[in-house]
PDB file of all heavy atoms in Angstrom:
ATOM      1  N   SER H 258      -1.298  -4.192 -22.078  1.00  0.00           N
ATOM      2  CA  SER H 258      -2.281  -4.924 -22.959  1.00  0.00           C
ATOM      3  C   SER H 258      -2.740  -4.150 -24.149  1.00  0.00           C
ATOM      4  O   SER H 258      -2.707  -4.675 -25.378  1.00  0.00           O
ATOM      5  CB  SER H 258      -3.666  -5.091 -22.193  1.00  0.00           C
ATOM      6  OG  SER H 258      -3.261  -5.842 -21.044  1.00  0.00           O
ATOM      7  N   HIS H 259      -3.012  -2.770 -23.958  1.00  0.00           N
ATOM      8  CA  HIS H 259      -3.509  -1.965 -25.111  1.00  0.00           C
ATOM      9  C   HIS H 259      -2.398  -1.775 -26.126  1.00  0.00           C
ATOM     10  O   HIS H 259      -2.608  -1.718 -27.335  1.00  0.00           O
ATOM     11  CB  HIS H 259      -4.187  -0.672 -24.713  1.00  0.00           C
ATOM     12  CG  HIS H 259      -5.584  -1.116 -24.031  1.00  0.00           C
ATOM     13  ND1 HIS H 259      -5.637  -1.431 -22.661  1.00  0.00           N
ATOM     14  CD2 HIS H 259      -6.830  -1.350 -24.587  1.00  0.00           C
ATOM     15  CE1 HIS H 259      -7.011  -1.709 -22.445  1.00  0.00           C
ATOM     16  NE2 HIS H 259      -7.634  -1.706 -23.523  1.00  0.00           N
ATOM     17  N   PRO H 260      -1.105  -1.414 -25.705  1.00  0.00           N
ATOM     18  CA  PRO H 260      -0.051  -1.308 -26.754  1.00  0.00           C
ATOM     19  C   PRO H 260       0.305  -2.543 -27.448  1.00  0.00           C
ATOM     20  O   PRO H 260       0.447  -2.545 -28.617  1.00  0.00           O
ATOM     21  CB  PRO H 260       1.095  -0.760 -25.858  1.00  0.00           C
ATOM     22  CG  PRO H 260       0.865  -0.999 -24.495  1.00  0.00           C
ATOM     23  CD  PRO H 260      -0.551  -1.039 -24.354  1.00  0.00           C
ATOM     24  N   ALA H 261       0.219  -3.624 -26.705  1.00  0.00           N
ATOM     25  CA  ALA H 261       0.564  -4.916 -27.367  1.00  0.00           C
ATOM     26  C   ALA H 261      -0.466  -5.248 -28.432  1.00  0.00           C
ATOM     27  O   ALA H 261      -0.220  -5.649 -29.544  1.00  0.00           O
ATOM     28  CB  ALA H 261       0.664  -6.068 -26.312  1.00  0.00           C
ATOM     29  N   GLY H 262      -1.762  -5.190 -28.038  1.00  0.00           N
ATOM     30  CA  GLY H 262      -2.891  -5.527 -28.896  1.00  0.00           C
ATOM     31  C   GLY H 262      -2.936  -6.983 -29.286  1.00  0.00           C
ATOM     32  O   GLY H 262      -3.827  -7.443 -30.035  1.00  0.00           O
ATOM     33  N   ASP H 263      -1.933  -7.701 -28.684  1.00  0.00           N
ATOM     34  CA  ASP H 263      -1.877  -9.193 -29.016  1.00  0.00           C
ATOM     35  C   ASP H 263      -1.380  -9.844 -27.753  1.00  0.00           C
ATOM     36  O   ASP H 263      -0.287  -9.434 -27.263  1.00  0.00           O
ATOM     37  CB  ASP H 263      -0.968  -9.395 -30.236  1.00  0.00           C
ATOM     38  CG  ASP H 263      -0.744 -10.869 -30.700  1.00  0.00           C
ATOM     39  OD1 ASP H 263      -0.925 -11.706 -29.802  1.00  0.00           O
ATOM     40  OD2 ASP H 263      -0.403 -10.980 -31.783  1.00  0.00           O
ATOM     41  N   LYS H 264      -1.942 -10.898 -27.338  1.00  0.00           N
ATOM     42  CA  LYS H 264      -1.661 -11.503 -26.086  1.00  0.00           C
ATOM     43  C   LYS H 264      -0.084 -12.049 -26.014  1.00  0.00           C
ATOM     44  O   LYS H 264       0.468 -12.195 -25.085  1.00  0.00           O
ATOM     45  CB  LYS H 264      -2.611 -12.656 -25.750  1.00  0.00           C
ATOM     46  CG  LYS H 264      -2.628 -13.788 -26.701  1.00  0.00           C
ATOM     47  CD  LYS H 264      -3.304 -15.025 -26.097  1.00  0.00           C
ATOM     48  CE  LYS H 264      -4.791 -14.794 -25.791  1.00  0.00           C
ATOM     49  NZ  LYS H 264      -5.308 -15.831 -24.968  1.00  0.00           N
ATOM     50  N   LYS H 265       0.373 -12.340 -27.240  1.00  0.00           N
ATOM     51  CA  LYS H 265       1.757 -12.817 -27.432  1.00  0.00           C
ATOM     52  C   LYS H 265       2.816 -11.825 -26.752  1.00  0.00           C
ATOM     53  O   LYS H 265       3.836 -12.219 -26.417  1.00  0.00           O
ATOM     54  CB  LYS H 265       2.099 -13.141 -28.849  1.00  0.00           C
ATOM     55  CG  LYS H 265       1.427 -14.246 -29.370  1.00  0.00           C
ATOM     56  CD  LYS H 265       2.185 -14.852 -30.591  1.00  0.00           C
ATOM     57  CE  LYS H 265       1.981 -14.029 -31.917  1.00  0.00           C
ATOM     58  NZ  LYS H 265       0.603 -14.042 -32.490  1.00  0.00           N
ATOM     59  N   PHE H 266       2.426 -10.542 -26.781  1.00  0.00           N
ATOM     60  CA  PHE H 266       3.447  -9.607 -26.426  1.00  0.00           C
ATOM     61  C   PHE H 266       3.118  -8.959 -25.011  1.00  0.00           C
ATOM     62  O   PHE H 266       3.925  -8.030 -24.585  1.00  0.00           O
ATOM     63  CB  PHE H 266       3.559  -8.338 -27.348  1.00  0.00           C
ATOM     64  CG  PHE H 266       3.604  -8.849 -28.889  1.00  0.00           C
ATOM     65  CD1 PHE H 266       2.757  -8.324 -29.891  1.00  0.00           C
ATOM     66  CD2 PHE H 266       4.633  -9.843 -29.233  1.00  0.00           C
ATOM     67  CE1 PHE H 266       2.832  -8.830 -31.171  1.00  0.00           C
ATOM     68  CE2 PHE H 266       4.691 -10.150 -30.613  1.00  0.00           C
ATOM     69  CZ  PHE H 266       3.738  -9.635 -31.543  1.00  0.00           C
ATOM     70  N   VAL H 267       1.993  -9.303 -24.383  1.00  0.00           N
ATOM     71  CA  VAL H 267       1.591  -8.628 -23.146  1.00  0.00           C
ATOM     72  C   VAL H 267       2.608  -8.775 -22.138  1.00  0.00           C
ATOM     73  O   VAL H 267       2.999  -7.855 -21.446  1.00  0.00           O
ATOM     74  CB  VAL H 267       0.195  -9.100 -22.767  1.00  0.00           C
ATOM     75  CG1 VAL H 267      -0.011  -8.672 -21.337  1.00  0.00           C
ATOM     76  CG2 VAL H 267      -0.848  -8.610 -23.711  1.00  0.00           C
ATOM     77  N   GLU H 268       3.116 -10.063 -21.901  1.00  0.00           N
ATOM     78  CA  GLU H 268       4.121 -10.324 -20.839  1.00  0.00           C
ATOM     79  C   GLU H 268       5.491  -9.604 -21.044  1.00  0.00           C
ATOM     80  O   GLU H 268       5.933  -9.000 -20.061  1.00  0.00           O
ATOM     81  CB  GLU H 268       4.365 -11.812 -20.697  1.00  0.00           C
ATOM     82  CG  GLU H 268       5.216 -12.149 -19.459  1.00  0.00           C
ATOM     83  CD  GLU H 268       5.476 -13.615 -19.274  1.00  0.00           C
ATOM     84  OE1 GLU H 268       4.593 -14.475 -19.274  1.00  0.00           O
ATOM     85  OE2 GLU H 268       6.697 -13.970 -19.242  1.00  0.00           O
ATOM     86  N   ASN H 269       5.885  -9.547 -22.196  1.00  0.00           N
ATOM     87  CA  ASN H 269       7.098  -8.788 -22.550  1.00  0.00           C
ATOM     88  C   ASN H 269       7.036  -7.339 -22.136  1.00  0.00           C
ATOM     89  O   ASN H 269       7.907  -6.820 -21.480  1.00  0.00           O
ATOM     90  CB  ASN H 269       7.454  -8.873 -24.127  1.00  0.00           C
ATOM     91  CG  ASN H 269       7.669 -10.266 -24.594  1.00  0.00           C
ATOM     92  OD1 ASN H 269       6.828 -10.835 -25.021  1.00  0.00           O
ATOM     93  ND2 ASN H 269       8.923 -10.754 -24.400  1.00  0.00           N
ATOM     94  N   LEU H 270       5.880  -6.703 -22.513  1.00  0.00           N
ATOM     95  CA  LEU H 270       5.700  -5.385 -22.254  1.00  0.00           C
ATOM     96  C   LEU H 270       5.530  -5.096 -20.729  1.00  0.00           C
ATOM     97  O   LEU H 270       6.043  -4.135 -20.147  1.00  0.00           O
ATOM     98  CB  LEU H 270       4.621  -4.804 -23.053  1.00  0.00           C
ATOM     99  CG  LEU H 270       4.630  -4.740 -24.586  1.00  0.00           C
ATOM    100  CD1 LEU H 270       3.676  -3.853 -25.155  1.00  0.00           C
ATOM    101  CD2 LEU H 270       5.997  -4.296 -25.004  1.00  0.00           C
ATOM    102  N   ALA H 271       4.896  -6.037 -20.114  1.00  0.00           N
ATOM    103  CA  ALA H 271       4.583  -5.862 -18.619  1.00  0.00           C
ATOM    104  C   ALA H 271       6.043  -5.854 -17.948  1.00  0.00           C
ATOM    105  O   ALA H 271       6.318  -5.084 -17.108  1.00  0.00           O
ATOM    106  CB  ALA H 271       3.819  -7.018 -18.175  1.00  0.00           C
ATOM    107  N   LEU H 272       6.860  -6.808 -18.327  1.00  0.00           N
ATOM    108  CA  LEU H 272       8.111  -7.028 -17.739  1.00  0.00           C
ATOM    109  C   LEU H 272       8.942  -5.711 -17.980  1.00  0.00           C
ATOM    110  O   LEU H 272       9.679  -5.265 -17.211  1.00  0.00           O
ATOM    111  CB  LEU H 272       8.851  -8.253 -18.046  1.00  0.00           C
ATOM    112  CG  LEU H 272       8.151  -9.595 -17.582  1.00  0.00           C
ATOM    113  CD1 LEU H 272       8.829 -10.740 -18.305  1.00  0.00           C
ATOM    114  CD2 LEU H 272       8.044  -9.718 -16.127  1.00  0.00           C
ATOM    115  N   ALA H 273       8.998  -5.342 -19.214  1.00  0.00           N
ATOM    116  CA  ALA H 273       9.770  -4.169 -19.648  1.00  0.00           C
ATOM    117  C   ALA H 273       9.292  -2.844 -18.805  1.00  0.00           C
ATOM    118  O   ALA H 273      10.086  -2.082 -18.336  1.00  0.00           O
ATOM    119  CB  ALA H 273       9.546  -3.822 -21.103  1.00  0.00           C
ATOM    120  N   GLY H 274       7.932  -2.691 -18.575  1.00  0.00           N
ATOM    121  CA  GLY H 274       7.446  -1.606 -17.798  1.00  0.00           C
ATOM    122  C   GLY H 274       7.967  -1.614 -16.386  1.00  0.00           C
ATOM    123  O   GLY H 274       8.301  -0.652 -15.798  1.00  0.00           O
ATOM    124  N   ILE H 275       7.980  -2.843 -15.758  1.00  0.00           N
ATOM    125  CA  ILE H 275       8.377  -2.977 -14.480  1.00  0.00           C
ATOM    126  C   ILE H 275      10.020  -2.657 -14.431  1.00  0.00           C
ATOM    127  O   ILE H 275      10.277  -1.984 -13.524  1.00  0.00           O
ATOM    128  CB  ILE H 275       8.086  -4.353 -13.888  1.00  0.00           C
ATOM    129  CG1 ILE H 275       6.590  -4.423 -13.615  1.00  0.00           C
ATOM    130  CG2 ILE H 275       8.856  -4.584 -12.566  1.00  0.00           C
ATOM    131  CD1 ILE H 275       5.994  -5.850 -13.339  1.00  0.00           C
ATOM    132  N   ALA H 276      10.660  -3.288 -15.339  1.00  0.00           N
ATOM    133  CA  ALA H 276      12.185  -2.975 -15.412  1.00  0.00           C
ATOM    134  C   ALA H 276      12.334  -1.501 -15.344  1.00  0.00           C
ATOM    135  O   ALA H 276      13.377  -1.069 -14.880  1.00  0.00           O
ATOM    136  CB  ALA H 276      12.722  -3.749 -16.623  1.00  0.00           C
ATOM    137  N   ALA H 277      11.460  -0.803 -16.118  1.00  0.00           N
ATOM    138  CA  ALA H 277      11.675   0.727 -16.231  1.00  0.00           C
ATOM    139  C   ALA H 277      11.223   1.506 -14.975  1.00  0.00           C
ATOM    140  O   ALA H 277      11.313   2.754 -15.023  1.00  0.00           O
ATOM    141  CB  ALA H 277      11.004   1.183 -17.481  1.00  0.00           C
ATOM    142  N   GLY H 278      10.634   0.771 -14.127  1.00  0.00           N
ATOM    143  CA  GLY H 278      10.275   1.413 -12.738  1.00  0.00           C
ATOM    144  C   GLY H 278       8.817   1.511 -12.441  1.00  0.00           C
ATOM    145  O   GLY H 278       8.547   2.160 -11.453  1.00  0.00           O
ATOM    146  N   ALA H 279       7.970   0.888 -13.094  1.00  0.00           N
ATOM    147  CA  ALA H 279       6.626   0.960 -12.825  1.00  0.00           C
ATOM    148  C   ALA H 279       6.260   0.510 -11.391  1.00  0.00           C
ATOM    149  O   ALA H 279       6.904  -0.476 -10.872  1.00  0.00           O
ATOM    150  CB  ALA H 279       5.766   0.274 -13.789  1.00  0.00           C
ATOM    151  N   ASP H 280       5.271   1.152 -10.743  1.00  0.00           N
ATOM    152  CA  ASP H 280       4.740   0.778  -9.412  1.00  0.00           C
ATOM    153  C   ASP H 280       3.643  -0.141  -9.400  1.00  0.00           C
ATOM    154  O   ASP H 280       3.162  -0.698  -8.423  1.00  0.00           O
ATOM    155  CB  ASP H 280       4.491   2.009  -8.598  1.00  0.00           C
ATOM    156  CG  ASP H 280       5.457   2.968  -8.493  1.00  0.00           C
ATOM    157  OD1 ASP H 280       6.495   2.631  -7.857  1.00  0.00           O
ATOM    158  OD2 ASP H 280       5.442   4.061  -9.219  1.00  0.00           O
ATOM    159  N   MET H 281       2.952  -0.256 -10.636  1.00  0.00           N
ATOM    160  CA  MET H 281       1.691  -0.974 -10.754  1.00  0.00           C
ATOM    161  C   MET H 281       1.622  -1.454 -12.297  1.00  0.00           C
ATOM    162  O   MET H 281       2.066  -0.859 -12.997  1.00  0.00           O
ATOM    163  CB  MET H 281       0.485   0.057 -10.363  1.00  0.00           C
ATOM    164  CG  MET H 281      -0.831  -0.397 -10.649  1.00  0.00           C
ATOM    165  SD  MET H 281      -2.083   0.802 -10.059  1.00  0.00           S
ATOM    166  CE  MET H 281      -3.522  -0.015 -10.720  1.00  0.00           C
ATOM    167  N   LEU H 282       0.801  -2.522 -12.383  1.00  0.00           N
ATOM    168  CA  LEU H 282       0.517  -3.112 -13.661  1.00  0.00           C
ATOM    169  C   LEU H 282      -0.988  -3.127 -13.736  1.00  0.00           C
ATOM    170  O   LEU H 282      -1.694  -3.528 -12.822  1.00  0.00           O
ATOM    171  CB  LEU H 282       1.108  -4.436 -13.582  1.00  0.00           C
ATOM    172  CG  LEU H 282       1.389  -5.283 -15.001  1.00  0.00           C
ATOM    173  CD1 LEU H 282       2.472  -4.425 -15.715  1.00  0.00           C
ATOM    174  CD2 LEU H 282       2.004  -6.606 -14.602  1.00  0.00           C
TER     175      LEU H 282
END
Side-chain angles (χ1 to χ4, degrees):
S258 305
H259 291 88
D263 181 332
K264 60 164 70 189
K265 287 203 281 298
F266 311 128
V267 168
E268 186 181 308
N269 298 95
L270 299 193
L272 296 174
I275 290 169
D280 303 293
M281 174 177 169
L282 203 61

